[in-house]
Amino acid sequence: MRLVSVLTLALLPLNALAAKKTPGGKFWNFQSKALQSSPVKLNDASYEELTTAPRDYSAVVLLTAVEARFGCQLCREFQPEWDIVGKSWTRGDRQGATRTLFGTLDFADGKNTFQKLMLQTAPIILLFPPTTGQGAKADAQPIRYDFTTGPRTAEQIYPWITRHLPEGPQPPIYRSFNYTRLIAGTTILLGVISFLSIAAPYLLPLIQNRNLWAAISLIIILLFTSGHMFNHIRNVPYVTPDGKGGVQYFIGGFSNQLGLETQIVAAIYGVLSFATIALALRVPRMTSSSQQQVMVFVWGAVMFGMYGFLMRVFKIKNGGYPFRLPPF
């Protein structure tokens, strides 16, 4: 009886070693690592161990190069999203019911693997389906996902992964609450409220000033009636050569326009507007009748001259325009 007990104790380490060499033993070995930190960080040796057949589990591995010296901006942008995928899956499958493992192999830790796979770009996701057991596939080759459309989020990559896994439970994506954003937002909000409460006595007179809003409205009106949006939509040139060594400030046709032309037209409208405002508001408030007469003639002459120039611009834009005012 004692001999049987001794033999049993002696064979226990061998049984444990044999279990580790089986696919099931490999899975629980990596599952224990995933429970500590998921996705599991791999190197050449552990990648080979994880992906070598036979496998009674699925393995999803990200091959990346996150170090700055490799210059892979896409790798650094996607890494946090990949960590969310791995952590979410492990969080929802702590018992390993889905028999799915997530890993990350960085170029710095797996140069031989990158060379063996002849990879020239990163990041790349390889999904290794099981070769034995439930959902096993005869073809042991991994399914590859290339980032051809730029960085992806965890929610975008998740459907591709679940689509290629055997049927079974699929833990949802879980994003931890961003307390940093909450604190930053609260701080900014309190700062804005404090600033407004302190500056209110100084800001309210400005906000309630009718002249300020009139000036802002006038500037916006002049900006858009002169063709500002046309320039942005059509991306027009500022000036064009006239073929004689000079430049053109205006170009004919209603569907053509220059950047400088827009500014000149806005200035014309601005002068006409200011002259009208001066005649309507400033001149009547003058106490001297002689000054009023002088200012009426001055602003009237300004309006006459600028309006004549504006009609000349109309003539340039449309050669058939019949009206004009001297001296233009």
Side-chain angles (χ1 to χ4, degrees), residues 62-65 72-75 107 114 119-124 147:
L62 172 68
L63 294 97
T64 185
C72 181
Q73 180 66 25
L74 179 57
C75 298
F107 180 75
F114 274 76
L119 297 180
Q120 302 295 326
T121 60
I124 290 172
F147 291 75

Side-chain angles (χ1 to χ4, degrees), residues 4 22 34 39 42 44 46 59-61 70-71 73 80 82 91 106 108 115 163 167 170 218 220 228 253 257 263 290:
V4 174
T22 63
L42 305 172
D44 285 324
S46 56
V60 192
V61 181
F70 300 129
Q73 180 66 25
W82 177 249
R91 184 176 184 269
D106 193 273
Q115 293 173 0
R163 187 168 63 250
E167 293 184 1
Q170 298 175 354
L218 184 59
I220 294 175
H228 175 74
Q257 190 169 279
Q263 296 176 2
S290 58

Side-chain angles (χ1 to χ4, degrees), residues 2-327:
R2 180 178 294 178
L3 179 61
V4 174
S5 301
V6 172
L7 289 175
T8 303
L9 293 173
L11 290 175
L12 282 176
L14 298 177
N15 292 334
L17 181 61
K20 287 187 177 181
K21 293 182 179 179
T22 63
K26 279 199 305 181
F27 172 77
W28 291 114
N29 180 29
F30 282 100
Q31 177 68 7
S32 63
K33 295 179 180 178
L35 291 175
Q36 298 174 6
S37 177
S38 182
V40 178
K41 188 175 182 181
L42 305 172
N43 53 30
D44 285 324
S46 56
Y47 173 87
E48 188 72 19
E49 180 184 359
L50 176 67
T51 59
T52 300
R55 299 182 303 270
D56 63 349
Y57 56 86
S58 301
V60 192
V61 181
L62 172 68
L63 294 97
T64 185
V66 296
E67 292 188 15
R69 57 187 171 128
F70 300 129
C72 181
Q73 180 66 25
L74 179 57
C75 298
R76 293 191 291 273
E77 291 179 359
F78 179 68
Q79 189 62 45
E81 298 298 315
W82 177 249
D83 291 340
I84 290 174
V85 173
K87 287 180 172 60
S88 298
W89 196 280
T90 303
R91 184 176 184 269
D93 184 31
R94 301 189 66 84
Q95 303 302 321
T98 62
R99 300 194 71 78
T100 302
L101 297 167
F102 288 82
T104 303
L105 178 63
D106 193 273
F107 180 75
D109 302 318
K111 295 180 181 179
N112 294 333
T113 301
F114 274 76
Q115 293 173 0
K116 181 180 177 181
L117 297 175
M118 293 184 292
L119 297 180
Q120 302 295 326
T121 60
I124 290 172
I125 297 176
L126 296 179
L127 191 151
F128 295 84
T131 58
T132 62
Q134 182 182 2
K137 293 185 178 181
D139 186 6
Q141 294 300 314
I143 304 169
R144 175 168 168 165
Y145 183 90
D146 292 285
F147 291 75
T148 56
T149 57
R152 313 290 285 177
T153 64
E155 289 77 11
Q156 290 172 323
I157 205 69
Y158 187 78
W160 178 86
I161 296 174
T162 55
R163 187 168 63 250
H164 293 92
L165 292 177
E167 293 184 1
Q170 298 175 354
I173 292 293
Y174 172 78
R175 289 183 180 271
S176 58
F177 189 78
N178 193 336
Y179 290 99
T180 303
R181 180 176 296 180
L182 174 63
I183 295 172
T186 304
T187 303
I188 293 173
L189 178 61
L190 293 176
V192 171
I193 294 174
S194 301
F195 172 77
L196 292 177
S197 61
I198 296 173
Y202 307 98
L203 293 178
L204 284 177
L206 290 176
I207 295 175
Q208 297 172 349
N209 191 303
R210 293 184 299 174
N211 293 332
L212 175 63
W213 287 108
I216 294 175
S217 301
L218 184 59
I219 291 172
I220 294 175
I221 292 171
L222 294 177
L223 185 66
F224 287 100
T225 56
S226 62
H228 175 74
M229 289 306 299
F230 184 95
N231 293 348
H232 278 274
I233 295 171
R234 298 291 185 91
N235 195 25
V236 300
Y238 190 67
V239 292
T240 58
D242 60 358
K244 302 177 183 179
V247 294
Q248 284 183 311
Y249 301 122
F250 299 95
I251 188 170
F254 291 114
S255 60
N256 301 316
Q257 190 169 279
L258 299 175
L260 183 59
E261 174 185 331
T262 300
Q263 296 176 2
I264 294 175
V265 171
I268 294 173
Y269 285 147
V271 173
L272 289 173
S273 301
F274 190 77
T276 303
I277 293 171
L279 285 173
L281 300 178
R282 301 292 296 180
V283 174
R285 296 177 183 176
M286 292 182 176
T287 56
S288 174
S289 59
S290 58
Q291 288 182 350
Q292 283 185 337
Q293 292 178 354
V294 172
M295 295 309 298
V296 166
F297 282 114
V298 169
W299 288 117
V302 170
M303 292 184 65
F304 185 87
M306 294 306 297
Y307 194 67
F309 183 54
L310 182 61
M311 296 180 71
R312 176 60 180 171
V313 173
F314 289 165
K315 181 71 173 180
I316 296 173
K317 300 298 290 183
N318 181 12
Y321 189 74
F323 304 107
R324 61 179 294 272
L325 285 176

